[in-house]
Amino acid sequence: MATRQLKRNLDSVSEWLDLAECRIDIPKNWLKIEYQKDADLLYIKLSDSPAAYCEDDLDKEVIFNYDADNNLVGIEVLHLYGIYNPV
């Protein structure tokens, strides 16, 4: 994946959502967002239910987490900016 041009800064929630929405549909009703700068990973939490299993779409670098009732509870967007820099 090519490195994306940073529009503003690595701490902008609206920029994270814009980048993620290029790859996935993001529910608008309830969500919490966390960005892990060291891993270039965006985690979108859709529910307080714990994840029981996950499915991935590695072509889009996305992991979907589901609870025991098959409800989507979280989405991990890998390499959001395309700039993974391990410490």
Side-chain angles (χ1 to χ4, degrees):
M1 177 176 292
T3 301
R4 292 164 192 77
Q5 181 66 34
L6 302 183
K7 290 186 234 171
R8 293 178 290 279
N9 63 60
L10 295 177
D11 297 320
S12 171
V13 171
S14 63
E15 184 172 353
W16 300 338
L17 288 174
D18 290 344
L19 287 169
E21 285 179 334
C22 293
R23 293 188 250 169
I24 55 173
D25 291 324
I26 298 176
K28 304 292 187 213
N29 51 357
W30 183 93
L31 56 94
K32 293 181 183 176
I33 298 171
E34 177 184 317
Y35 179 69
Q36 296 176 12
K37 193 180 298 188
D38 61 332
D40 193 23
L41 169 81
L42 179 72
Y43 187 73
I44 304 165
K45 186 174 182 178
L46 306 171
S47 168
D48 282 328
S49 298
Y53 70 97
C54 64
E55 294 180 353
D56 59 56
D57 182 342
L58 294 181
D59 290 335
K60 294 184 178 180
E61 297 182 312
V62 176
I63 299 171
F64 301 95
N65 299 301
Y66 296 89
D67 66 12
D69 295 322
N70 299 320
N71 297 308
L72 183 63
V73 296
I75 302 167
E76 298 174 57
V77 181
L78 309 174
H79 308 114
L80 187 67
Y81 287 101
I83 52 166
Y84 177 66
N85 293 315
V87 178

